[in-house]
Amino acid sequence: MTTSSQQSRDYPIQRWVFEDAVGRFDIDLGDSNMVPGRLDALKVPPELELDYGHDRGLDALREAVAGLYGGAADSILITQGAQQALYLVYTALLTPGSRVIAFRPGWQQSWDVPPELGCRVELVGFRPDLSFDVEAAEAVAGPDVRLIVANTPCNPTGRRIAEEDLRGLLALAERTGAHLLLDEEYALDLSRSPALGSDRVISVSSLSKVYGFPGLRVGWLYGPPDVVESCARRKFLSTISNSVLCETLALDVLANREHHLRAYHDLTRQGLALVRDFARRNADAVILVEPEDTPFAWLWLNTGEEPLAMCRRALDLGVLLMPGETLGATDGFRICFARSPEAVTEGLRRVERVLRPLSPTAGSVQAR
């Protein structure tokens, strides 16, 4: 899979979603979250006072999130989505000259933000089976490594980090004195997070992906109290606190967690079956990477066309996909299936119309 050698061929996800695609699609198979929830499904106490709240998050919300881990509330900081949580960790732990190890393809923040803080980023690819290449990470590690960043389950591959590879990354963090930052946005059971019982691991998640409430902008980090304290100071200097309204709504989401998870499982089960059928019908053009409990899947594109070009033609038909170029890859695309079966079926029907290039280059199709 594509690694840092293709960095010059990146296409910013911000440009794709907020400039190129805005207003041009009626079927969204591009965003990586559960179909968004509605405000009328949540309860808002009419007597709620819209004050500043608390810089670390409402006590009740911190307790609820701590309960997901089976940990203590003083290990929790509520943030403006997982994005702010990740950013706060970078600013709290990194200093000019620090080195960061990140995996690619992935979330561009992990390789865009550290250089702005004067840090060097070592981008590591995945093994051919899309497992985490721990040996490659070890090869670029040095005494100045301060942070190892991994996303599990991974966006966009849909694969979880194997226990053996996790142990390897933990050992690497221990040996170098680094922290392991785990983006666990798609983890369904945070009570199994490696952050529990380790002062070297920080977990980040939110209500955006699995629960389908990205508009609430409620995320969190779980980590050692000293890291939480350092991040809380920086959060105060940037946003002071989250919206009390959004945090109160977040409490309602977590109070009905089982209901939201059932809806998630129902939609992803139906949607994945449709994507599997699509991949079988088009086996000459795409290869499906079987996802591991994610609302999306990675598809290798074997037509010889660049993913961005194919996704642009799909956009012309009103379907949003996520080209690999926006995630640090040039050999496939991500498709989200946590949508109604009707939307997934129609979206895939349109994608099938543009899946193969209009003028394919002879001999360009490569077997994997």
Side-chain angles (χ1 to χ4, degrees):
M1 181 167 267
T2 308
T3 57
S4 57
S5 61
Q6 279 89 17
Q7 187 165 5
S8 61
R9 299 175 68 184
D10 282 351
Y11 196 88
I13 193 170
Q14 182 180 11
R15 178 178 174 185
W16 174 249
V17 173
F18 294 117
E19 296 180 23
D20 293 3
V22 64
R24 295 184 55 196
F25 61 90
D26 63 301
I27 297 179
D28 175 9
L29 304 183
D31 287 329
S32 58
N33 54 279
M34 167 72 169
V35 62
R38 293 168 53 98
L39 180 60
D40 58 9
L42 302 178
K43 297 177 182 177
V44 183
E47 72 281 2
L48 178 66
E49 290 186 357
L50 299 179
D51 60 9
Y52 274 104
H54 196 285
D55 61 344
R56 292 182 180 232
L58 297 176
D59 287 345
L61 182 57
R62 291 172 63 217
E63 291 284 355
V65 172
L68 299 179
Y69 291 87
D74 63 357
S75 293
I76 297 292
L77 176 66
I78 305 300
T79 61
Q80 299 275 347
Q83 180 90 331
Q84 186 189 40
L86 292 165
Y87 189 86
L88 291 171
V89 173
Y90 293 136
T91 58
L93 296 183
L94 299 178
T95 57
S98 297
R99 189 181 305 196
V100 176
I101 298 175
F103 289 86
R104 180 187 178 96
W107 186 236
Q108 73 178 75
Q109 185 192 38
S110 66
W111 57 77
D112 278 357
V113 172
E116 295 188 2
L117 303 174
C119 303
R120 175 180 175 181
V121 180
E122 302 287 355
L123 290 171
V124 176
F126 294 87
R127 302 185 185 109
D129 64 355
L130 296 185
S131 59
F132 286 75
D133 194 340
V134 178
E135 294 78 16
E138 292 171 337
V140 298
D144 53 350
V145 172
R146 291 293 172 265
L147 204 56
I148 303 167
V149 186
N151 178 209
T152 179
C154 176
N155 176 12
T157 71
R159 307 303 295 273
R160 289 192 297 266
I161 188 168
E163 287 298 322
E164 182 179 357
D165 293 332
L166 176 61
R167 287 193 295 269
L169 291 182
L170 284 170
L172 180 59
E174 292 284 351
R175 188 169 70 251
T176 59
H179 282 84
L180 176 59
L181 174 58
L182 292 181
D183 181 345
E184 297 189 286
E185 275 271 24
Y186 303 97
L188 299 177
D189 184 3
L190 290 172
S191 70
R192 301 175 60 186
S193 173
L196 289 162
S198 173
D199 61 0
R200 286 286 164 196
V201 183
I202 302 155
S203 171
V204 166
S205 192
S206 80
L207 298 183
S208 297
K209 306 300 187 181
V210 171
Y211 297 92
F213 289 94
L216 291 182
R217 306 311 303 136
V218 172
W220 58 80
L221 64 88
Y222 179 101
D226 61 327
V227 175
V228 172
E229 173 65 27
S230 183
C231 290
R233 289 199 306 270
R234 287 163 173 80
K235 178 192 171 186
F236 177 81
L237 294 173
S238 58
T239 60
I240 301 179
S241 61
N242 284 31
S243 160
V244 171
L245 174 60
C246 290
E247 289 195 0
T248 302
L249 293 171
L251 268 170
D252 187 69
V253 173
L254 291 180
N256 293 283
R257 178 174 182 268
E258 295 305 319
H259 165 76
H260 295 297
L261 290 182
R262 281 195 300 271
Y264 174 83
H265 285 303
D266 287 345
L267 272 191
T268 54
R269 175 178 48 79
Q270 296 174 75
L272 180 55
L274 294 170
V275 172
R276 286 171 176 154
D277 288 343
F278 167 82
R280 282 193 289 267
R281 291 196 308 271
N282 298 280
D284 64 315
V286 296
I287 298 175
L288 171 67
V289 176
E290 193 68 21
E292 296 180 312
D293 294 325
T294 55
F296 58 82
W298 179 258
L299 289 157
W300 300 108
L301 184 62
N302 273 346
T303 63
E305 185 176 22
E306 291 186 347
L308 181 58
M310 187 277 290
C311 291
R312 280 174 170 156
R313 294 193 295 114
L315 190 59
D316 289 339
L317 296 183
V319 181
L320 178 67
L321 300 171
M322 197 57 60
E325 289 89 340
T326 64
L327 297 159
T330 59
D331 40 17
F333 61 99
R334 189 190 72 197
I335 188 164
C336 181
F337 48 80
R339 303 289 184 264
S340 71
E342 296 76 17
V344 176
T345 298
E346 174 59 18
L348 292 174
R349 186 189 69 81
R350 297 183 201 176
V351 172
E352 207 158 1
R353 291 168 53 189
V354 300
L355 188 57
R356 295 160 186 83
L358 299 176
S359 301
T361 303
S364 62
V365 177
Q366 301 175 354
R368 290 189 184 274

Short mmCIF file of all heavy atoms in Angstrom, two decimals, residues 30 32 41 69 102 106 150 172 232 258 263 281-282 284 287 310 318-319 323 337 347 360:
data_model
loop_
_atom_site.label_atom_id
_atom_site.label_comp_id
_atom_site.label_asym_id
_atom_site.label_seq_id
_atom_site.Cartn_x
_atom_site.Cartn_y
_atom_site.Cartn_z
N GLY A 30 -19.16 8.48 1.30
CA GLY A 30 -17.80 8.94 1.50
C GLY A 30 -17.43 9.17 2.95
O GLY A 30 -16.38 8.73 3.41
N SER A 32 -17.14 8.70 6.87
CA SER A 32 -16.86 7.40 7.49
C SER A 32 -17.65 7.14 8.76
O SER A 32 -17.27 6.31 9.57
CB SER A 32 -15.36 7.31 7.81
OG SER A 32 -14.97 8.36 8.68
N ALA A 41 -34.32 12.93 18.25
CA ALA A 41 -34.16 11.64 18.91
C ALA A 41 -33.48 11.77 20.27
O ALA A 41 -33.35 10.79 21.00
CB ALA A 41 -33.34 10.69 18.03
N TYR A 69 -14.60 2.72 29.47
CA TYR A 69 -13.29 2.09 29.62
C TYR A 69 -13.22 1.20 30.86
O TYR A 69 -12.36 0.31 30.93
CB TYR A 69 -12.21 3.16 29.73
CG TYR A 69 -11.95 3.94 28.47
CD1 TYR A 69 -12.69 5.07 28.16
CD2 TYR A 69 -10.94 3.55 27.58
CE1 TYR A 69 -12.44 5.80 27.00
CE2 TYR A 69 -10.69 4.27 26.42
CZ TYR A 69 -11.45 5.39 26.14
OH TYR A 69 -11.21 6.11 24.99
N ALA A 102 4.18 7.55 12.40
CA ALA A 102 2.77 7.43 12.05
C ALA A 102 2.63 6.45 10.90
O ALA A 102 3.56 6.26 10.11
CB ALA A 102 2.18 8.78 11.69
N GLY A 106 -3.79 6.94 6.26
CA GLY A 106 -4.42 7.21 7.53
C GLY A 106 -5.00 8.61 7.54
O GLY A 106 -5.38 9.15 6.51
N ALA A 150 -1.19 5.43 15.98
CA ALA A 150 -1.83 4.34 15.26
C ALA A 150 -3.35 4.45 15.40
O ALA A 150 -3.86 4.86 16.44
CB ALA A 150 -1.36 2.98 15.78
N LEU A 172 8.10 -0.92 21.78
CA LEU A 172 8.86 0.17 21.16
C LEU A 172 8.68 1.46 21.94
O LEU A 172 9.65 2.21 22.15
CB LEU A 172 8.40 0.35 19.71
CG LEU A 172 9.09 1.45 18.90
CD1 LEU A 172 10.60 1.22 18.82
CD2 LEU A 172 8.49 1.53 17.49
N ALA A 232 -5.56 19.56 29.21
CA ALA A 232 -6.64 20.42 29.72
C ALA A 232 -6.20 21.88 29.75
O ALA A 232 -6.98 22.79 29.45
CB ALA A 232 -7.08 19.95 31.10
N GLU A 258 -26.81 1.24 24.01
CA GLU A 258 -27.16 -0.06 23.43
C GLU A 258 -28.10 0.10 22.24
O GLU A 258 -27.99 -0.62 21.24
CB GLU A 258 -27.77 -0.97 24.50
CG GLU A 258 -26.80 -1.35 25.61
CD GLU A 258 -25.53 -1.99 25.06
OE1 GLU A 258 -25.63 -2.80 24.11
OE2 GLU A 258 -24.44 -1.65 25.57
N ALA A 263 -28.59 -0.21 16.25
CA ALA A 263 -28.85 0.42 14.95
C ALA A 263 -27.60 0.37 14.07
O ALA A 263 -27.68 0.10 12.85
CB ALA A 263 -29.31 1.86 15.14
N ARG A 281 -19.37 -8.88 -8.15
CA ARG A 281 -19.81 -8.60 -9.51
C ARG A 281 -18.73 -7.91 -10.33
O ARG A 281 -18.72 -8.01 -11.56
CB ARG A 281 -21.06 -7.69 -9.50
CG ARG A 281 -22.32 -8.33 -8.99
CD ARG A 281 -23.54 -7.49 -9.38
NE ARG A 281 -23.42 -6.09 -9.01
CZ ARG A 281 -23.81 -5.58 -7.84
NH1 ARG A 281 -24.30 -6.38 -6.90
NH2 ARG A 281 -23.70 -4.28 -7.60
N ASN A 282 -17.85 -7.19 -9.64
CA ASN A 282 -16.84 -6.38 -10.32
C ASN A 282 -15.43 -6.82 -9.93
O ASN A 282 -14.54 -6.00 -9.75
CB ASN A 282 -17.05 -4.91 -9.97
CG ASN A 282 -18.40 -4.39 -10.44
OD1 ASN A 282 -18.58 -4.07 -11.61
ND2 ASN A 282 -19.37 -4.33 -9.53
N ASP A 284 -13.09 -7.98 -11.52
CA ASP A 284 -12.01 -7.58 -12.43
C ASP A 284 -11.53 -6.17 -12.15
O ASP A 284 -10.43 -5.78 -12.56
CB ASP A 284 -12.49 -7.66 -13.88
CG ASP A 284 -13.61 -6.67 -14.17
OD1 ASP A 284 -14.55 -6.59 -13.34
OD2 ASP A 284 -13.54 -5.97 -15.20
N ILE A 287 -10.95 -5.10 -5.53
CA ILE A 287 -10.75 -6.17 -4.56
C ILE A 287 -11.12 -5.61 -3.19
O ILE A 287 -10.55 -4.61 -2.75
CB ILE A 287 -9.30 -6.68 -4.54
CG1 ILE A 287 -8.93 -7.27 -5.91
CG2 ILE A 287 -9.11 -7.72 -3.45
CD1 ILE A 287 -7.47 -7.68 -6.00
N MET A 310 -11.69 8.40 -10.78
CA MET A 310 -12.91 7.61 -10.74
C MET A 310 -13.92 8.22 -9.78
O MET A 310 -15.12 8.31 -10.09
CB MET A 310 -12.58 6.17 -10.32
CG MET A 310 -13.77 5.20 -10.41
SD MET A 310 -14.87 5.24 -8.97
CE MET A 310 -13.81 4.49 -7.72
N GLY A 318 -23.62 12.10 -8.58
CA GLY A 318 -24.26 12.39 -7.30
C GLY A 318 -23.89 11.46 -6.18
O GLY A 318 -24.61 11.39 -5.17
N VAL A 319 -22.76 10.77 -6.28
CA VAL A 319 -22.32 9.86 -5.22
C VAL A 319 -20.98 10.32 -4.67
O VAL A 319 -20.01 10.50 -5.43
CB VAL A 319 -22.18 8.41 -5.72
CG1 VAL A 319 -21.74 7.49 -4.59
CG2 VAL A 319 -23.50 7.92 -6.30
N PRO A 323 -11.68 9.13 -2.24
CA PRO A 323 -10.51 8.65 -2.99
C PRO A 323 -9.31 8.45 -2.09
O PRO A 323 -9.10 9.21 -1.13
CB PRO A 323 -10.28 9.76 -4.01
CG PRO A 323 -10.92 10.98 -3.43
CD PRO A 323 -12.07 10.48 -2.61
N PHE A 337 -20.68 2.08 4.18
CA PHE A 337 -21.92 1.35 3.95
C PHE A 337 -22.88 1.43 5.12
O PHE A 337 -23.89 0.71 5.16
CB PHE A 337 -21.62 -0.12 3.62
CG PHE A 337 -20.64 -0.78 4.55
CD1 PHE A 337 -21.03 -1.27 5.79
CD2 PHE A 337 -19.31 -0.89 4.18
CE1 PHE A 337 -20.13 -1.86 6.64
CE2 PHE A 337 -18.39 -1.50 5.04
CZ PHE A 337 -18.80 -1.99 6.27
N GLY A 347 -26.40 3.90 -4.63
CA GLY A 347 -25.06 4.45 -4.77
C GLY A 347 -24.13 3.50 -5.51
O GLY A 347 -23.38 3.91 -6.41
N PRO A 360 -9.43 2.68 -21.04
CA PRO A 360 -8.41 2.02 -20.23
C PRO A 360 -7.11 1.81 -20.98
O PRO A 360 -7.12 1.55 -22.19
CB PRO A 360 -9.07 0.69 -19.87
CG PRO A 360 -10.08 0.46 -20.93
CD PRO A 360 -10.58 1.83 -21.32
#
